[in-house]
Amino acid sequence: MERTTAQWQAADAAHFLHPFTDFKALSAKGARIIQRAEGIYLWDSDGHKILDAMSGLWCVNVGYGQRALIDAAARQMAELPFYNAFFQTATPPAIELAEVLAEVTPPQFRHVFFSGSGSEGNDTVVRMVRRYWDLLGQPERQVIISRHNAYHGSTMAGASLGGMGGMHAQGGLPIPGITHIGQPHWWENGRPQGLSREDFGRVAAGWLEQKILEIGADKVAAFIGEPVQGAGGVIVPPESYWPEIQRICDKHGILLVSDEVICGFGRTGRWFGCERFGFKPDLMTFAKGVTSGYVPLGGVMVGERIAKVLIERGGEFNHGYTYSGHPVACAVALANIALIRQLKLVEHVHDDVGPYLAAQFQGLATHPLVGEVQTCGLMGALQLVKDPARGTPFASELEVGMVCRGHCFANGLIMRAVGDRMIVAPPLVITRAQIDEMMLLIRRCLDLTLADAQQRGWIG
Ligand SMILES: *Cc1c(COP(=O)(O)O)cnc(C)c1O
């Protein structure tokens, strides 16, 4: 039976505890109820049309309503809705997907370990790198180095690898053997004077070497990072950063892990973010875009350096998930990858809409609220500041980002606020005309936010 928005909200508040949510605040306000979607648009329970500039949660790469994915799920559910991959069994969709992933990922990857999500994939990374060093007779290599303001998921290992202080504060994290260095975030690091961005990239990578020397290289198992930090605010590193990270990992024999949960499957204009930034990881976590979010699936691409040791040395790897290689999820992933290829979405981002988005975002650089603009493929960020010339931030308690996000919602645009950084990551199928439409909405919301800031005396 159809319910009214108020009825949905009441039932929601009565029973549903949402992720990353202040339960009390939400139940006072009522959730937005999203009912259907097509292409890059959503419709809420009041019939409002909303441009989804965040691809759901960075995942709906092929857009909503793609028949090929829907049919693949229905067909596979009818044929074989579930069987596991434990006990020396496998299903055709899981085998085929493993094969196709070996094709679309960089050449060092011939093997995959499936999980149900990105967080689980990163749990697998922790287990697997430690297993690798154990098998090589170096069990003291335990420490995994990550970065502040990284996001690697919300399980105990995922949240520990992540560098979100708020998450560590709840639950006694990080777990032992995980440590963090600074992020390659020009703005947060005070736009160091007398240092070019490229010099800053090398300095930020150098923090890894400092940490390795501090711990002792013989105790370090791996370094993990997102090619572009997503949830942290679309932080695009200087071009010098990743090659230098690679050099440092190679020098000390440390495994390099790329968390491609957002950057994978075309988001950066290449199939994977490591290809965009020119580095060669040993492990690669994926999720989100692998199925365009239509069903949950994640996993870890395992480089030959590691796969060879795991396979040749023998012995059971005591790890896995009920849904590792879930046939329906794998069938949808196969249809999704086939569609990305058929529609040439990676090329579409690289040659057409990626550069177009970059040019449009640059046009916002002179807006009186905007201190920094960054884009990479189909990701973009706008740093909102009180005084762009001086780079003076707003006081954080003003929550300017939330004010701007409120205007976005009210004007039919989903844009995310990370502190005072406004970010987008639209579906890869977006057209230039739709980017124009998105930019009009973004401009309008920035102007409304500016008017608020002036009226409340936050500026000038
Ligand atoms: C979303 C995300 C994860 C976690 O994935 P889940 O499917 O939510 O568990 C891990 N790493 C990165 C980079 C992400 O963006």
Side-chain angles (χ1 to χ4, degrees), residues 58 116-120 122 151-154 226 231 259 261-262 287-288:
W58 317 86
S117 68
S119 303
E120 288 179 3
N122 282 325
Y151 189 78
H152 297 297
S154 201
E226 305 150 81
D259 184 339
V261 171
I262 285 176
K288 296 191 171 113

Side-chain angles (χ1 to χ4, degrees), residues 256-299:
L256 178 52
V257 186
S258 186
D259 184 339
E260 299 268 357
V261 171
I262 285 176
C263 291
F265 300 95
R267 176 62 59 193
T268 68
R270 300 292 300 267
W271 272 91
F272 292 90
C274 56
E275 298 168 304
R276 162 64 185 77
F277 288 96
F279 66 103
K280 194 166 169 263
D282 299 295
L283 292 165
M284 212 164 69
T285 318
F286 63 87
K288 296 191 171 113
V290 66
T291 55
S292 285
Y294 279 47
V295 290
L297 178 69

Side-chain angles (χ1 to χ4, degrees), residues 310-379:
L310 294 179
I311 296 164
E312 286 177 6
R313 303 278 167 130
E316 182 171 328
F317 182 38
N318 298 313
H319 174 70
Y321 309 104
T322 300
Y323 299 138
S324 287
H326 192 290
V328 176
C330 292
V332 172
L334 283 165
N336 179 60
I337 293 170
L339 191 62
I340 292 174
R341 284 171 150 172
Q342 184 197 325
L343 300 177
K344 298 199 179 338
L345 288 182
V346 182
E347 295 83 349
H348 176 64
V349 174
H350 185 272
D351 301 335
D352 187 8
V353 286
Y356 191 69
L357 179 81
Q360 301 309 305
F361 258 56
Q362 271 316 319
L364 291 173
T366 50
H367 190 280
L369 270 186
V370 174
E372 182 188 51
V373 173
Q374 283 200 308
T375 57
C376 178
L378 274 185
M379 288 182 276

